[in-house]
Amino acid sequence: MKSFWIFEDVNLFSMLCPHKFKAYKSTHEFNAYGKEDYIYFEEDSANKVYLIEKGKVKLGHYTEEGEEVVKAILSKGELFGEKAILGDDKRDEFAQSMDKTTSICPVDVDTMHDLMRDNRTFSFRIYKLIGFRIKKLERRLELIMFKDAETRVEEFLKELATDYGYCCPNTGDTVIKHPYTQKDIARLIGTTRPTFNAIMNRFKEANRIDFSRNEIRLKFSA
């Protein structure tokens, strides 16, 4: 089963950034953002899509009570703001840089339509991305609404194994080298960092996992 948490292991930036195409190269620029800088807000005009050259970007929205709900955390090579391609004229989420040096490639919707029109493979990947994003959100809402925190952690570890894991031939463990911090994961599964840490430590004590800063070893079947 393909992961609901990220699109797929493909660098869309390397394929779609206009600076790689002669017709757009001379007028194309990159935007730089620092940590916690907003790229756009809810209700902003949706006239561009964005490709990540470097860094991480958080997508989310705020509830009426002012609480932040994280929808996705994206990294190098990924695309966001893609609903503009389908005709949305207003943003229904915010996008915020998570790194000190985040480099973003903004692409006008008309330019993206031209690129998609000229290459069916590009077009297919973009529409596939939109479909996976919808499934991902549905899956996350289902887990958050109907599953306890421990189940959400276990399911997320399985998804990480699908996306970033490989089997260690010496031990048979699934080794996961991933780009997320503990805070990132806690936000994505709708819990707090202390709760996430407590669950991970319980799993470790039960010899189900072992972990360090950017590596997790699963000792149960993913």
Side-chain angles (χ1 to χ4, degrees):
M1 181 182 70
K2 182 62 192 174
S3 170
F4 291 125
W5 298 93
I6 63 173
F7 170 39
E8 58 180 22
D9 186 17
V10 62
N11 190 319
L12 287 172
F13 168 80
S14 69
M15 297 170 56
L16 294 174
C17 182
H19 85 280
K20 298 179 180 296
F21 299 87
K22 186 176 180 179
Y24 306 103
K25 186 174 182 178
S26 62
T27 59
H28 184 64
E29 296 181 353
F30 291 87
N31 294 337
Y33 297 89
K35 189 171 183 178
E36 298 186 355
D37 286 347
Y38 283 91
I39 299 158
Y40 58 74
F41 296 93
E42 294 178 72
E43 300 299 321
D44 277 359
S45 176
N47 54 14
K48 289 181 173 63
V49 296
Y50 300 87
L51 295 153
I52 305 174
E53 182 196 20
K54 181 175 63 175
K56 287 196 297 185
V57 172
K58 174 174 63 178
L59 304 180
H61 67 271
Y62 293 101
T63 66
E64 292 182 359
E65 293 74 27
E67 294 181 2
E68 181 183 271
V69 178
V70 177
K71 296 169 63 175
I73 293 174
L74 308 178
S75 56
K76 179 180 178 179
E78 296 192 88
L79 175 146
F80 61 98
E82 71 280 353
K83 288 184 181 179
I85 298 170
L86 302 179
D88 283 10
D89 57 359
K90 297 289 184 182
R91 302 292 183 191
D92 63 357
E93 65 192 11
F94 68 77
Q96 184 182 34
S97 168
M98 298 183 68
D99 286 347
K100 292 180 180 179
T101 53
T102 297
S103 179
I104 301 295
C105 164
V107 187
D108 289 336
V109 172
D110 289 343
T111 299
M112 183 61 76
H113 284 160
D114 289 344
L115 294 173
M116 292 169 64
R117 191 180 303 113
D118 292 341
N119 191 305
R120 290 185 179 181
T121 300
F122 291 172
S123 181
F124 173 74
R125 289 186 184 278
I126 297 301
Y127 287 121
K128 189 177 180 182
L129 163 68
I130 295 170
F132 273 119
R133 288 271 170 83
I134 292 171
K135 288 181 180 179
K136 175 181 66 176
L137 183 57
E138 290 175 346
R139 174 64 172 166
R140 288 190 58 209
L141 289 174
E142 178 185 339
L143 287 172
I144 291 171
M145 290 177 66
F146 301 112
K147 302 296 182 180
D148 58 45
E150 188 166 304
T151 301
R152 297 202 298 270
V153 171
E154 183 170 339
E155 290 297 314
F156 188 76
L157 292 178
K158 291 177 180 179
E159 297 294 347
L160 283 181
T162 299
D163 296 324
Y164 299 102
Y166 64 91
C167 182
C168 177
N170 296 327
T171 65
D173 296 345
T174 300
V175 181
I176 305 168
K177 294 186 179 294
H178 62 90
Y180 301 114
T181 66
Q182 292 182 344
K183 188 175 181 180
D184 292 342
I185 296 174
R187 285 171 168 172
L188 284 168
I189 63 175
T191 189
T192 64
R193 183 175 176 179
T195 298
F196 173 72
N197 286 339
I199 293 170
M200 291 290 284
N201 285 325
R202 287 203 297 271
F203 284 174
K204 185 175 182 178
E205 289 171 1
N207 200 34
R208 301 186 67 196
I209 66 169
D210 196 6
F211 63 91
S212 56
R213 183 174 181 181
N214 292 111
E215 180 181 298
I216 301 171
R217 286 178 174 262
L218 300 189
K219 300 177 183 296
F220 62 86
S221 175

